[in-house]
Amino acid sequence: NLIDVYYGLSLQLLTYLLVAKDHLIDKLPAGMLYCFLKYQPKSEKSRKTEAEAHKIIENSLKMPGWVLADKKVIKDIDSSLNFIKIQFTNDGEFFKNSLPYIKTADEFKLLLNYVAKTLQSAGNRIIGGDIAAKPYKNDKGNKKTCDLCPFSAVLKIMIGKKQPI
């Protein structure tokens, strides 16, 4: 999600890609995909046929992320198209619902430049002594990354005591 990248909430894969790109000079990224290592079955209210159950499992194993807008590269990544969220029409074009998962070479370059600047800025702030907990909140004020952190209780105590963290 580009908005999550913009706000620094989803930088992990792009950071890995940035490091790989820095070591592979003059190479374009083929993409960045999350591979789920554990299948989380969803409870179904109605019984499914074996084919329907297989389709549900197959769809849940599709890797989210972005791939280069190059049909050959996409087919090299997954020739069956069973594990990425890209599909082609009969005439070889991308299905409209595949477009959010495709990035051009220029878009990848822009994303990687943005991530590099974001990481450098964060590093400079930390080195400069800015280490205050400033969790992200969405426009409704209720989505905080600290809510997911196993150390949030410790941070709340430290913030309450007005001590440096």
Side-chain angles (χ1 to χ4, degrees):
N1 181 322
L2 287 175
I3 292 172
D4 287 349
V5 171
Y6 178 79
Y7 285 107
L9 301 174
S10 186
L11 299 178
Q12 185 175 6
L13 273 183
L14 284 165
T15 301
Y16 296 156
L17 195 59
L18 180 65
V19 171
K21 184 189 163 294
D22 286 348
H23 287 85
L24 301 170
I25 299 169
D26 296 329
K27 301 289 181 191
L28 287 174
M32 48 177 259
L33 299 163
Y34 286 97
C35 178
F36 298 108
L37 299 177
K38 184 176 179 184
Y39 169 64
Q40 296 289 340
K42 296 180 177 127
S43 61
E44 298 293 328
K45 291 184 180 179
S46 62
R47 294 194 148 240
K48 302 285 182 194
T49 66
E50 186 175 333
E52 290 172 323
H54 182 44
K55 188 69 175 167
I56 289 169
I57 291 170
E58 189 176 272
N59 283 336
S60 71
L61 295 175
K62 285 189 182 279
M63 295 182 286
W66 295 317
V67 295
L68 186 63
D70 180 312
K71 294 170 190 169
K72 182 185 179 325
V73 169
I74 289 169
K75 288 180 181 176
D76 286 346
I77 291 172
D78 180 11
S79 61
S80 68
L81 300 178
N82 287 331
F83 299 104
I84 60 175
K85 296 187 174 200
I86 309 296
Q87 296 295 317
F88 296 106
T89 63
N90 289 336
D91 57 346
E93 297 303 315
F94 295 115
F95 268 114
K96 186 178 181 180
N97 63 348
S98 297
L99 297 179
Y101 307 105
I102 299 167
K103 298 287 177 232
T104 66
D106 287 339
E107 289 171 324
F108 268 117
K109 286 177 189 172
L110 286 170
L111 280 165
L112 293 176
N113 286 337
Y114 180 78
V115 169
K117 288 179 182 179
T118 300
L119 294 174
Q120 186 171 19
S121 174
N124 288 338
R125 286 193 315 271
I126 292 168
I127 289 171
D130 182 2
I131 57 171
K134 299 175 190 172
Y136 166 83
K137 293 181 183 180
N138 67 7
D139 58 351
K140 295 178 184 171
N142 60 5
K143 181 181 180 184
K144 295 184 286 182
T145 55
C146 288
D147 291 342
L148 305 174
C149 176
F151 303 105
S152 62
V154 174
L155 290 171
K156 287 175 186 173
I157 291 169
M158 297 301 287
I159 292 168
K161 292 182 177 181
K162 306 280 190 229
Q163 294 181 9
I165 296 174

